Amino acid sequence: MKIGCVVMAAGAARRFGGGKLSVQVGGKSLLRRALEAVPAERCAAVAVVSRSPAFLALVESFGFLPVDNDRPDLGVSRTIRLGLEALGPCGGAVFLVADQPLLRRESVERALDAFAEHPDKIVALAHGGRRGNPCVFPADLFPELLELEGDTGGSAVIRRHGDRLLLLETPAEELADVDTPDQIPEI
């Protein structure tokens, strides 16, 4: 089954004060760390949605599909829509956020493995039973993802299909995202 990947990197980072994905963690920008966590060889296509020309150039250097979000003010739903549309036909899609600096590629691979075994499930990384990102959605839920509006993300679809959710336990630090400068980890 073909699996696509959408890396969501179009947020305004208001709480951070802007420029979040350029911040260095362990000598690499948050965006580069996110791109390196993608097991590209397992994905039919990788679309990275951003509003930054510099970020989109980095995306191209990885061989991924750069997707310009010219209207990030329309919310995360637009990022999801643009990413899914860029992937083309696939049996599922894994969505990664670009501000989880300690997310490991191996954990993303575990999510893809679980989805391959349970292709009717929504697979998500979690810690202590609390869902985090990334999440893998089967293609039959793409229409619902495409109908999202404003700043509503995939959580709305997950809530409607809670019986299909499969959580994979992962260390808490991998799921931690960076919203403010004081949350940048030291590594």
Side-chain angles (χ1 to χ4, degrees):
M1 175 188 319
K2 289 184 176 182
I3 303 296
C5 176
V6 176
V7 179
M8 303 190 315
R14 283 183 211 70
R15 287 182 283 172
F16 194 86
K20 173 170 64 172
L21 297 183
S22 296
V23 170
Q24 300 287 305
V25 175
K28 297 177 183 178
S29 71
L30 284 180
L31 180 60
R32 179 174 287 280
R33 295 182 75 82
L35 299 178
E36 289 177 353
V38 174
E41 70 284 351
R42 304 262 316 259
C43 300
V46 179
V48 184
V49 184
S50 178
R51 62 187 193 160
S52 164
F55 291 167
L56 294 174
L58 177 62
V59 166
E60 283 186 314
S61 75
F62 274 76
F64 298 164
L65 300 169
V67 180
D68 180 27
N69 185 347
D70 61 344
R71 294 290 313 274
D73 56 298
L74 295 178
V76 69
S77 64
R78 179 163 171 83
T79 295
I80 291 168
R81 186 175 312 109
L82 290 171
L84 274 178
E85 289 171 352
L87 291 180
C90 53
V94 58
F95 289 83
L96 284 80
V97 294
D99 63 352
Q100 287 178 242
L102 302 180
L103 178 65
R104 295 179 326 117
R105 175 187 178 99
E106 294 81 12
S107 296
V108 181
E109 289 174 339
R110 278 192 322 114
L112 294 176
D113 290 342
F115 182 74
E117 291 177 30
H118 306 279
D120 59 326
K121 298 287 189 183
I122 301 167
V123 177
L125 296 184
H127 182 75
R130 185 171 179 192
R131 183 182 53 79
N133 288 305
C135 295
V136 189
F137 288 86
D140 69 301
L141 296 178
F142 289 0
E144 290 185 47
L145 291 168
L146 292 168
E147 290 174 1
L148 295 171
E149 294 182 0
D151 218 22
T152 301
S155 292
V157 175
I158 293 171
R159 281 191 294 276
R160 288 194 293 267
H161 301 281
D163 59 323
R164 294 178 65 180
L165 182 59
L166 174 63
L167 298 177
L168 298 179
E169 192 66 19
T170 305
E173 61 269 11
E174 286 193 59
L175 303 182
D177 62 355
V178 173
D179 289 323
T180 60
D182 62 316
Q183 293 174 323
I184 298 289
E186 295 288 331
I187 59 171

